Amino acid sequence: MIYFDNVSKYYSDDSVALEEVTLSIAPGEFVSIVGHSGAGKTTLLKLLLVEEGPSEGSIYFHSTDIHKLRRAHLTKYRQRIGTVFQDFRLLPNRTTYENIAFAMEAAGRADDEIQADVPHVLDLVDLSDKMWNFPDELSGGERQRVAIARAIVNQPDIIIADEPTGNLDPINTYEIVQILKKINDLGTTVVLTTHNKGVIDSLGRRVVTMDSGRIVRDDTSGRYVM
Amino acid sequence: MFLSLKRVVKTGFINFWRNGFVSTSSVVVMTITLFVMGSLIFVNEMLDSSLELLRDKVDINAYFVIDAPEESILAVQGTLEQLDEVETVVYTSREEAEARFRERHKDDEIEIQALDELGSNPLLASLSIKAKDPTHYERINEFLQSDPSTVSTDGVPIVAKVNFNENKAAIEKLEQWMKAIETFGMVLSGVLVAVSVIIVFNTIRMTIYISREEIAVMRLVGASDMYIRGPFVFSGIMSGIIAATVTLISFYPLSIWLGPSTQEFFGDFNLFIFYTQNFGRIFIIIMLTGVFLGAFSSFLAVKKYLRV
């Protein structure tokens, strides 16, 4: 489904973020990308989200080179991806309900659909009682669950989670990982970056290890090895 | 399409309301800008009206020789009235001139005595000519000096003198002043409007800068450009409408207050009467400027953050 074809990314001559990365991810997979800070994990995700362009190589989603998409198609492409970030990135002046509804509105979904689906996903992440709270009234774990609800509400093909547990305590970390697993079990591809050893070891799924912009290991049922 | 529009309006309204402080500051800055623009309209109008008043006071007089027959003078009046440049021509006969002289000097016995002692009326008949524009006096003067109708049947000119040359310097000076004031007014208006627009633009840019991360998030969840930009543009329009309303309302007591003093100072011009009589026009100018300023500034400001 996703194919990185010999991709490199340089920010300047002596700053190499990714070097000749070739990686393919199949539909329904749960892939964890691990590595030290600066190993290239986040750059890899940014390229996948078309936040940045590659210096060399191409990235395909199904058979489409996503960096050659026109702006209108890019919008459609992004609607097929759900994103979850370490810093949550919720809209601060909107309630939990509105944050999730926004993603649906942006995708052009009808009002009655939004009214039906938002409570449903909030139920899925166990936040039904915080529907009308603003993000600054929620704990870190709750905010991350809102972010996940927002990411899945449009039933995307892939969930990209960039260190989603980076700011959370062990209990919240466990809950978030369980939610991601549940989403994956329902058939959605999940790409997760983390440097939390416990998370990786408990998952027992595919692990891609990166170092200095290169992929150094790719284990189908891996553990955190650095 | 309708659904998006509805959502854009709703979101714009909610954002405007929840970002109360930021919205208030852009409304305040925009109100000041619109106030400056409105004041410029008033000042321009005041200048125009006082220049008009001054223009109206300028005229030239052609004095006719003592024995010029009245019908010849009236013939000259007739020809003058047909000239494109001439606004009005008023005839003053020798008798009227004397009556006026006596009226004017009725408390000045020496003058009246001097006139009485002369035995005959020494005053000349005259035509007082007002041109449509001060620049036309030169041409009217030439006409009076050279036109055949100003020469009697035996070839002697009947025009004794035209006071154009005496007034010439004053007229030219006035011309220069009017042009200078108009140019200065235009330049000043231009500069003030440009400065205000830049301030409004920067204020709105700042409010949108605060939302830059929000815009990035919108982009990431797959919102289209129009969908991201719409609410900001709508909030900008709302700021413009509120600012314009505040400005228009505040001009009302202000013009009542300034009305009498403007009338005193500029003679014919009362600010309050001008404001109420031209309210429709001023409303449209201020409201459209507010809406345009808000919408355009927001549109441009968001553009910068859409490149995610």
Side-chain angles (χ1 to χ4, degrees), chain B residues 176-196:
Chain B
Q176 283 172 1
W177 272 100
M178 285 181 182
K179 280 199 183 111
I181 290 173
E182 269 168 0
T183 316
F184 180 72
M186 264 158 65
V187 171
L188 187 73
S189 314
V191 169
L192 276 175
V193 168
V195 168
S196 331

Side-chain angles (χ1 to χ4, degrees), chain A residues 49 51 71 75 78-79 85 89 91-95 98 102-103 105-106 108-111 114 134 150, chain B residues 3 6-7 10-11 14-15 18-19 214-215 217-225 227 306-308:
Chain A
L49 286 169
E51 275 190 72
R71 223 168 157 75
T75 301
R78 282 178 172 150
Q79 286 169 8
F85 298 95
R89 299 202 196 169
L91 303 178
N93 58 357
R94 292 180 202 224
T95 62
E98 288 166 346
F102 179 78
E105 287 172 1
R109 310 278 286 275
D111 284 343
I114 295 174
F134 287 93
R150 179 182 65 188
Chain B
L3 188 68
K6 195 186 94 185
R7 283 172 180 168
K10 190 180 147 211
T11 313
I14 291 174
N15 283 353
R18 288 191 187 154
N19 297 326
E214 209 170 312
I215 293 173
V217 174
M218 292 176 179
R219 201 96 195 83
L220 279 179
V221 301
S224 64
D225 286 357
Y227 198 75
L306 279 179
R307 282 185 245 108
V308 176

